[in-house]
Amino acid sequence: MNRRRFIRVVSAATPALALSSLDVLAAKSKSPSPIVVSTWEPNAKANEAAWEVLSKKGSALDAVHQGVMIPEADPDDNSVGLGGNPDRDGRVTCDACIMDHQGNIGSVMCLEHIVHAISVARLVMEKTPHVQIVGDGALQFALENGFRKENLLTASTRERWQQWLKTSKYNPMTTLDDIQRRIQQNHDTIGMLALDASHQLSGACTTSGMAYKMHGRVGDSPIIGAGLYVDNEVGAASATGVGEEVVRICGSHTIVEAMRYGMTPEEACLTALKRLVKMKGEAYARKVQIGFIALNKYGEYGCYSLLPNFTMAVRTSSGAEVVTAKYMFE
Ligand code: ASP
């Protein structure tokens, strides 16, 4: 029985012992090399920025922060920051959160006019006694800390929104056509997880949320435990897809707990998806897309989605790789 298999068997059989067994084995094991993983293939670019930090022995926290800033600043990425799709009132409202290896957390929700929501979330974590700041309060906090107010709606996102206004149909239930269209238009939320040379984990998640949502709607992405969770003893997870469904099952926390008790990252992602299917039924789950990614303390990674076409971008010292997620339903 190899070491990882042994860890899983020990963990599954004796949860109370699992952590101490993991710790002893982790201490004996060779430290895994740094790695960064992200939701969606086009985020390979973001991984490169994170890898710049990790390869110079920088922290996982700095790596995920720098990494997700890439799509935030990209006007052609229609799901994050500048150029993000607006809500039904034509307002671009961004959500982001960040979590480090010590359980420090920061989050902003429904933040307008600021390109780098993730940087504001990190400031919430590092400079305030709070963990979440929303709406006008988040904007006020950002401006007080030197962030510039900008218009995040671009000519093309404005034009598409104006087209959408002709029918004004909000349909978050994701058809396969919709998924294909979104992939062509670029991709969705970026969730990024990293393990650094000092064997510490961190994660970040940032999004402009579901296109044409109600003003003030917040999905899973800035919610610690739903869109992102990190437990430095075990692993980390992040999500993309219909946020309401991820919140329903505390997706990322559920995955980390499943890894704690011995599952591989891929098995843990599938377990969380199965929980939604059990709760809401197969007919319901077949109409929504959720994609999960997970990374454990040993540098093992995995992903799973409800519907096809979800991908995960991976970067290690061996180079870049794209993993196409297994999925539950055709
Ligand atoms: N999870 C995001 C949200 O619900 C959207 C997405 O990943 O596409 O806001």
Side-chain angles (χ1 to χ4, degrees):
M1 192 185 290
N2 69 28
R3 183 182 62 81
R4 285 183 181 135
R5 179 80 196 132
F6 172 73
I7 291 166
R8 275 173 215 130
V9 171
V10 167
S11 306
T14 53
L17 281 177
L19 271 183
S20 56
S21 305
L22 280 168
D23 286 345
V24 169
L25 287 164
K28 283 186 187 160
S29 77
K30 187 171 146 292
S31 283
S33 4
I35 175 171
V36 56
V37 298
S38 293
T39 52
W40 302 107
E41 176 174 3
N43 284 322
K45 280 183 280 179
N47 281 0
E48 287 309 315
W51 185 253
E52 269 292 301
V53 178
L54 293 175
S55 60
K56 293 181 182 131
K57 300 213 178 328
S59 71
L61 180 65
D62 287 339
V64 295
H65 182 182
Q66 297 296 317
V68 304
M69 284 174 78
I70 300 294
E72 281 186 336
D74 181 353
D76 296 324
D77 185 320
N78 303 138
S79 57
V80 188
L82 180 65
N85 284 313
D87 65 20
R88 66 184 188 182
D89 299 335
R91 296 163 74 162
V92 183
T93 64
C94 297
D95 304 324
C97 72
I98 193 157
M99 183 163 190
D100 75 7
H101 63 287
Q102 295 177 310
N104 295 314
I105 53 177
S107 159
V108 287
M109 304 179 193
C110 203
L111 172 64
E112 289 183 82
H113 308 299
I114 303 293
V115 174
H116 292 300
I118 197 67
S119 303
V120 187
R122 185 165 176 179
L123 268 190
V124 170
M125 175 171 93
E126 291 177 342
K127 298 261 183 325
T128 79
H130 308 304
V131 297
Q132 298 169 172
I133 304 188
V134 308
D136 289 346
L139 178 60
Q140 182 187 332
F141 174 68
L143 297 177
E144 281 167 7
N145 282 280
F147 286 81
R148 237 188 33 230
K149 200 168 173 178
E150 288 180 58
N151 177 17
L152 305 186
L153 196 64
T154 59
S156 64
T157 50
R158 176 189 294 277
E159 198 187 309
R160 269 209 302 279
W161 166 63
Q162 280 164 345
Q163 284 297 323
W164 174 83
L165 280 177
K166 291 182 183 159
T167 53
S168 296
K169 254 198 213 125
Y170 179 69
N171 182 14
M173 294 300 189
T174 317
T175 62
L176 282 180
D177 283 352
D178 184 40
I179 293 169
Q180 293 296 1
R181 182 181 52 74
R182 285 190 197 205
I183 288 169
Q184 274 152 20
Q185 272 174 17
N186 218 313
H187 58 98
D188 287 323
T189 303
I190 178 165
M192 179 181 275
L193 313 170
L195 180 67
D196 65 28
S198 311
H199 210 191
Q200 314 289 11
L201 286 161
S202 285
C205 188
T206 180
T207 189
S208 50
M210 301 298 286
Y212 319 130
K213 60 193 175 185
M214 289 171 70
H215 181 64
R217 176 267 188 191
V218 172
D220 59 316
S221 307
I223 300 191
I224 296 291
L228 176 72
Y229 199 70
V230 177
D231 183 323
N232 208 45
E233 285 187 319
V234 177
S238 190
T240 181
V242 182
E244 284 74 3
E245 309 311 327
V246 179
V247 170
R248 206 182 299 287
I249 53 165
C250 295
S252 295
H253 184 262
T254 297
I255 292 166
V256 171
E257 290 310 292
M259 291 194 290
R260 185 188 309 280
Y261 296 118
M263 286 190 191
T264 65
E266 184 185 279
E267 287 164 354
C269 292
L270 176 60
T271 292
L273 294 171
K274 282 185 175 164
R275 191 162 295 181
L276 178 73
V277 177
K278 188 155 186 223
M279 197 181 273
K280 299 301 287 178
E282 189 178 316
Y284 183 94
R286 278 180 176 275
K287 292 195 200 122
V288 291
Q289 174 64 315
I290 296 177
F292 285 128
I293 61 170
L295 172 67
N296 73 14
K297 189 71 183 169
Y298 306 104
E300 298 171 312
Y301 52 87
C303 54
Y304 225 104
S305 57
L306 277 174
L307 302 178
N309 294 319
F310 176 54
T311 51
M312 172 174 67
V314 181
R315 178 68 158 99
T316 63
S317 56
S318 322
E321 186 197 347
V322 173
V323 179
T324 300
K326 290 185 192 157
Y327 49 89
M328 289 191 73
F329 305 119
E330 284 290 345

